[in-house]
Amino acid sequence: MTKKLTRYLALALTVVFIVAASACGQTAPAATTTAAPATTAAAATTAAATTTAAATTEAAAATGGVQSDYEKHITISHMVLDAEKTGNTDRDRYLFEKFNITFDLIPVTWGDWFEKVRAMVAGDNIPDILWWDMKINNTAEYRGWATQGAFREITGTEKWPNLHELRYSLDSMEKMLEIDGKLYGWSISRNNPEWLQNAYYPLFAYRRDWAIELGMYKEGDMYTYEEIFAMIDAVKELDPGGNGPGNTFGMTSEAWAFPGVYMEILGYAKDRSSYIKESDGYVPYFTTTAWRQELKFVAEMYRNGYIWKDQMVVGGSEGLDNFKAGRALMYLGNNSPGWFSGQYASWLDAGTIKTNDDLAPLVPLSPVDNKTMTLVQTEDYWTVAHFAYDVDDEKYERIMDMWEWLATEEGRAHRIAGIEGQDYERISDTEIKILWEKDAEGSWLSPYRDTARSYCTPPAAVPGPNEGTNMAGYIAFEPIHQFMQTSPDYWVNPLNWELSTFNGEQFGQYGGFSSEQSDFVKRVLASSEDVDKLVDEWLAEMEPRWRPVADELNAELG
């Protein structure tokens, strides 16, 4: 049987996506709470473009022997990342045949995701599955959409035992996505180990081989900022990458990580929510001494040239591109073990590094005490999925059946590897053996390495590491993970659920003034004026705006 997979081509949008700090700090990526809803005209433009730009491709013949329990074929529209890399492999076709479905893939990128979501909701053009990187500080916006009838309620989860268990295992389902006891969104569990405390990994990746060549390497890859600055100075002077004078940079980063993440990992505060409760009540975190200290430290780094100067103006992957091209010592992003595992192969193929050991995670120790590692707790999920209000019962149950299967052991094996007998063989009820070959570094040579399938994301993340994991990244993190599990010098800024999901009118409208903070911080970094003077002037301007929000918090949350 041949299946048709309709793929909507991505739009060439000119919107620059500026990521703002979430209620507990800046995460990757987050949306501001102050952005206005998309206009009807914008929604219409997006809807028209996704229709007129649609391209249809014929999937290859389906893999043989796939039996479906479903007689009726249905089509499901689904928002996905990397649409151009999705839907053309044997394991994709296996799933399509098993559930007798076709996906209409609606493409999004990190740069246009939130704009498309808002345009779709405003224009009543929601796909069957609206999947997006919803952050906790989007709660008020989500609740507004849900109460206006944008989404179908998620009901009857008892019919799907794995999903039902997930439904009641996440704080986000109850505290964020339930409205008057009704569920209108499905949060995708991160499936993190408990010791991680749902922290994300805003750590640096760095050229360990350069540090060794310069005689500045520290075993364990944990450095004070003074040691980092000295290393950057040496890299610029001695040019181990052979880039020529002035062509080697110190720190680059993801666009969303600049400048907020540089600040939040410094460890100046043990509580880093958008508003902090002090003796006189709630005040914005940006009014605190800790925030001012963070800003002054990062301003000094930027003004002294330790952070790549052009990081101020770029909006895409330029920071990573420079790092991968061997023009920077270190790179800040959500650099998890999985990220490292995914990077090693391409770096080796390009000849940028000779072995995996040349590229490593780096922990910057807090300048407060030169010994503390600080991470930030994020939500207990990654991304949220909603059903459009007009999804009928048959389609709803087909999707839930598919999600339930993907959450089973059989579905886990499919997501990790692919097709039994072709990609893996089962050796026990809970364990499989991967059948792919490995490269010289011991990483799997997956036939699906350059493909994507984010339509499998909604049930939950697959716990890792697992049988299909390239372990290189986890091996690189072993000493850091040991430190995180055993040392009193590891600290996680906790997520304040009550504050972050507070639904007050003022708080919902203005939140933490995320975009204003980011714009102001960039202005300070680019200036040569005294930081304290600039901060004092800005705080005087901001107080009339944040005071009503603080008054509301004090009245409602005490």
Side-chain angles (χ1 to χ4, degrees):
M1 184 183 298
T2 300
K3 296 296 177 187
K4 182 178 292 184
L5 183 69
T6 304
R7 182 182 303 129
Y8 291 89
L9 298 180
L11 301 176
L13 298 183
T14 59
V15 176
V16 176
F17 183 54
I18 300 175
V19 181
S22 70
C24 66
Q26 190 165 348
T27 57
T32 69
T33 58
T34 56
T39 63
T40 302
T45 299
T46 300
T50 54
T51 300
T52 58
T56 302
T57 57
E58 282 294 321
T63 55
V66 183
Q67 299 297 318
S68 178
D69 294 330
Y70 303 93
E71 181 176 351
K72 181 179 177 180
H73 181 81
I74 64 172
T75 299
I76 301 167
S77 55
H78 196 322
M79 183 174 284
V80 294
L81 293 165
D82 297 313
E84 73 284 357
K85 299 179 181 179
T86 299
N88 295 315
T89 70
D90 285 349
R91 66 175 180 176
D92 292 317
R93 289 185 283 274
Y94 181 95
L95 187 70
F96 302 157
E97 291 292 337
K98 180 175 180 63
F99 289 93
N100 198 10
I101 59 174
T102 291
F103 274 119
D104 282 349
L105 302 182
I106 301 176
V108 291
T109 68
W110 289 112
D112 68 13
W113 205 346
F114 286 95
E115 293 304 319
K116 279 194 172 181
V117 168
R118 290 180 174 124
M120 288 174 178
V121 174
D124 193 17
N125 186 39
I126 304 172
D128 296 327
I129 300 175
L130 183 72
W131 175 68
W132 63 309
D133 191 27
M134 177 182 173
K135 296 301 181 185
I136 195 169
N137 63 319
N138 297 120
T139 300
E141 192 169 19
Y142 149 74
R143 287 173 176 167
W145 295 341
T147 55
Q148 292 166 20
F151 310 127
R152 173 179 174 140
E153 182 186 354
I154 297 173
T155 58
T157 56
E158 298 86 354
K159 182 177 178 180
W160 300 280
N162 287 288
L163 298 182
H164 191 66
E165 181 178 355
L166 286 166
R167 161 77 174 82
Y168 290 100
S169 66
L170 300 177
D171 288 336
S172 51
M173 295 281 197
E174 175 188 359
K175 296 179 178 179
M176 190 177 74
L177 296 175
E178 275 192 7
I179 303 173
D180 296 328
K182 296 181 178 180
L183 186 67
Y184 294 97
W186 186 266
S187 50
I188 288 81
S189 172
R190 294 176 183 272
N191 265 325
N192 281 331
E194 185 175 351
W195 57 263
L196 187 59
Q197 302 177 59
N198 283 321
Y200 76 107
Y201 287 93
L203 300 176
F204 285 97
Y206 86 119
R207 294 296 300 271
R208 182 195 275 157
D209 56 336
W210 289 4
I212 292 172
E213 182 178 339
L214 297 170
M216 305 180 83
Y217 167 64
K218 286 181 64 177
E219 188 171 355
D221 304 299
M222 304 181 80
Y223 297 86
T224 68
Y225 275 94
E226 290 303 316
E227 291 167 333
I228 290 171
F229 298 156
M231 200 184 312
I232 292 174
D233 289 337
V235 163
K236 289 182 175 181
E237 178 183 356
L238 301 175
D239 192 20
N243 298 309
N247 293 319
T248 301
F249 314 124
M251 304 175 182
T252 66
S253 67
E254 289 273 14
W256 59 262
F258 179 83
V261 175
Y262 287 89
M263 296 172 63
E264 73 180 23
I265 61 175
L266 292 175
Y268 279 101
K270 296 296 186 182
D271 183 0
R272 208 180 180 283
S273 298
S274 58
Y275 280 74
I276 303 296
K277 190 172 184 180
E278 297 187 334
S279 57
D280 294 332
Y282 282 98
V283 295
Y285 179 70
F286 62 70
T287 66
T288 65
T289 300
W291 185 83
R292 186 183 295 246
Q293 291 172 314
E294 294 171 1
L295 175 55
K296 293 171 76 171
F297 193 89
V298 174
E300 184 177 2
M301 283 201 298
Y302 184 81
R303 294 177 182 185
N304 289 339
Y306 293 118
I307 300 173
W308 179 42
K309 290 293 185 183
D310 287 349
Q311 197 68 61
M312 180 74 71
V313 296
V314 298
S317 63
E318 294 89 344
L320 179 58
D321 293 342
N322 274 306
F323 184 53
K324 292 185 74 169
R327 292 193 294 269
L329 170 66
M330 50 203 299
Y331 165 76
L332 179 61
N334 193 3
N335 299 333
S336 66
W339 182 89
F340 275 90
S341 290
Q343 291 292 314
Y344 284 130
S346 62
W347 282 60
L348 291 165
D349 289 345
T352 311
I353 58 176
K354 296 178 180 178
T355 71
N356 289 345
D357 288 339
D358 293 343
L359 175 66
L362 179 151
V363 173
L365 298 173
S366 171
V368 175
D369 57 13
N370 288 328
K371 66 178 184 178
T372 304
M373 173 187 177
T374 301
L375 295 182
V376 176
Q377 189 175 69
T378 189
E379 302 90 344
D380 58 6
Y381 68 92
W382 180 73
T383 68
V384 170
H386 312 283
F387 294 100
Y389 67 89
D390 56 354
V391 167
D392 62 29
D393 289 347
E394 183 176 33
K395 185 174 289 187
Y396 172 77
E397 294 205 1
R398 185 77 60 89
I399 295 169
M400 294 293 278
D401 285 352
M402 178 178 63
W403 287 3
E404 171 69 11
W405 182 78
L406 289 169
T408 64
E409 168 57 26
E410 185 181 1
R412 184 190 77 92
H414 174 78
R415 295 167 72 183
I416 290 171
I419 301 170
E420 187 171 4
Q422 175 175 315
D423 297 301
Y424 74 92
E425 63 183 31
R426 182 158 293 284
I427 58 177
S428 74
D429 290 343
T430 59
E431 189 178 4
I432 62 173
K433 178 183 178 181
I434 305 296
L435 301 178
W436 308 327
E437 294 182 356
K438 290 186 177 182
D439 63 16
E441 293 287 328
S443 294
W444 293 117
L445 293 172
S446 167
Y448 311 114
R449 188 178 80 181
D450 297 321
T451 65
R453 57 199 320 241
S454 56
Y455 62 76
C456 286
T457 298
V462 178
N466 51 59
E467 301 95 331
T469 300
N470 283 330
M471 292 301 297
Y474 288 88
I475 293 170
F477 265 81
E478 282 180 355
I480 295 174
H481 283 170
Q482 181 69 15
F483 182 86
M484 293 166 69
Q485 293 177 67
T486 60
S487 174
D489 293 324
Y490 171 56
W491 175 257
V492 176
N493 286 127
L495 175 62
N496 187 329
W497 282 97
E498 180 183 36
L499 174 68
S500 300
T501 60
F502 176 61
N503 203 29
E505 181 179 355
Q506 291 290 328
F507 186 79
Q509 183 176 359
Y510 298 110
F513 299 97
S514 305
S515 59
E516 291 90 340
Q517 285 187 68
S518 181
D519 291 345
F520 172 70
V521 170
K522 288 181 179 180
R523 177 158 62 89
V524 171
L525 268 57
S527 173
S528 60
E529 294 185 57
D530 179 70
V531 175
D532 284 318
K533 174 180 176 292
L534 293 172
V535 170
D536 289 340
E537 292 173 349
W538 184 70
L539 291 180
E541 294 173 5
M542 292 296 295
E543 182 166 4
R545 299 179 59 188
W546 65 256
R547 183 64 66 182
V549 183
D551 290 343
E552 181 182 64
L553 290 171
N554 290 324
E556 298 294 330
L557 299 183

